[in-house]
Amino acid sequence: MKFLKTSVICTALFAASIANAHNVWLEPVKEANSAGQYVVKFGHEQTETYPEYKLKAVKLLDNQGNVSNATYQFKEGEAYLNADKASQVFIRFDNGVWSKLPSGKYVEKTKQQEPTAVSSVNPVKFGKAVLHWDEQATKTHGMEYELVPQAQPKAGKPLPILVLHNGKPVKDIKVGLGEDAPFNLTDDKGIAEFTPQAGYNKVWAEFEEKVKTNPDYDRRSVEYMLTFDAQ
């Protein structure tokens, strides 16, 4: 599906979709003379611009396993960076707090800001881009959430993917093409299979955290997007 850039329009008509169904990922810049240049994308069926403050972290991993903060330029509602020497890029995006009103509408307000809210959720998005299939590609790297391919992908061949939270395998996590697509669940060892296609692949996973002591929201939804190329 071709993605089109649109402006973020925070209306009640699709606020719930903004809160829960969107993802964040890395794409190469397609303009001429832009080798090694990438852009952080945000969206669902269409890409959207986003405020810079919601982009919490962009980290580069080199071929020795060293992690550093990326320097990026924010322009026209998206972050651009040079990752020509990176093996992987990790992204964290916090989409704020969205509260459901008794009418069913969603507003970008906390429980404290909207006392009539039926529920409130903090949607957090993670992205991981594997840019080179070196020895780092199948290793874990100490991230809060992580999807780790267990081999170099081959188009049409099932690929085992390890799903981790705080370094530990997680069972019964949905792994697939996206929220609206078929998925597999991780097993007792945190493994789920994904069959890549030739070219650019996106692997989606969904987590959820119950929150008991936060005055601003009841739960945190976590969506993760792993991207890579396969032949």
Side-chain angles (χ1 to χ4, degrees):
M1 179 179 294
K2 183 178 181 180
F3 285 83
L4 303 174
K5 184 190 296 184
T6 63
S7 297
V8 175
I9 305 173
C10 297
T11 68
L13 291 176
F14 64 101
S17 175
I18 289 177
N20 296 313
H22 284 43
N23 292 284
V24 63
W25 67 94
L26 196 72
E27 284 188 6
V29 175
K30 296 180 174 61
E31 283 79 4
N33 302 317
S34 57
Q37 303 297 311
Y38 293 85
V39 56
V40 177
K41 292 290 186 177
F42 170 75
H44 183 48
E45 293 183 351
Q46 296 179 331
T47 59
E48 301 170 6
T49 57
Y50 48 88
E52 184 175 1
Y53 73 86
K54 290 190 174 184
L55 184 60
K56 299 302 183 182
V58 182
K59 296 182 179 293
L60 307 178
L61 179 89
D62 67 19
N63 60 10
Q64 300 299 311
N66 301 308
V67 178
S68 61
N69 291 322
T71 299
Y72 62 82
Q73 291 185 324
F74 198 82
K75 55 184 180 180
E76 298 181 354
E78 294 180 316
Y80 290 79
L81 62 140
N82 185 311
D84 61 337
K85 296 182 180 179
S87 293
Q88 297 178 38
V89 178
F90 296 91
I91 306 163
R92 180 187 172 98
F93 186 99
D94 190 321
N95 204 24
V97 177
W98 293 80
S99 292
K100 183 179 181 180
L101 304 181
S103 65
K105 294 181 179 180
Y106 280 79
V107 293
E108 192 173 5
K109 292 183 178 181
T110 67
K111 284 197 302 183
Q112 295 187 89
Q113 293 170 329
E114 190 56 64
T116 65
V118 175
S119 62
S120 300
V121 60
N122 171 220
V124 179
K125 319 295 180 180
F126 290 89
K128 173 182 173 180
V130 178
L131 304 182
H132 299 287
W133 289 97
D134 53 25
E135 63 178 345
Q136 302 301 327
T138 56
K139 293 182 178 180
T140 63
H141 297 289
M143 302 296 167
E144 182 180 359
Y145 290 91
E146 194 167 359
L147 267 63
V148 186
Q150 298 299 282
Q152 184 168 347
K154 303 293 183 183
K157 181 179 179 181
L159 172 68
I161 295 177
L162 173 63
V163 177
L164 302 172
H165 179 210
N166 291 326
K168 297 181 179 180
V170 190
K171 183 182 178 182
D172 292 335
I173 298 299
K174 297 176 182 178
V175 177
L177 290 170
E179 186 176 41
D180 304 321
F183 58 83
N184 291 324
L185 292 175
T186 55
D187 61 18
D188 291 341
K189 297 180 179 179
I191 298 288
E193 287 191 339
F194 174 86
T195 302
Q197 62 182 2
Y200 185 68
N201 286 264
K202 292 180 178 179
V203 186
W204 167 89
E206 182 180 46
F207 305 79
E208 189 164 311
E209 297 178 11
K210 296 294 183 182
V211 178
K212 295 182 179 180
T213 59
N214 194 301
D216 290 330
Y217 52 87
D218 308 307
R219 64 185 179 90
R220 170 176 285 167
S221 69
V222 177
E223 290 190 272
Y224 195 106
M225 186 70 77
L226 166 69
T227 59
F228 56 81
D229 284 313
Q231 296 181 351

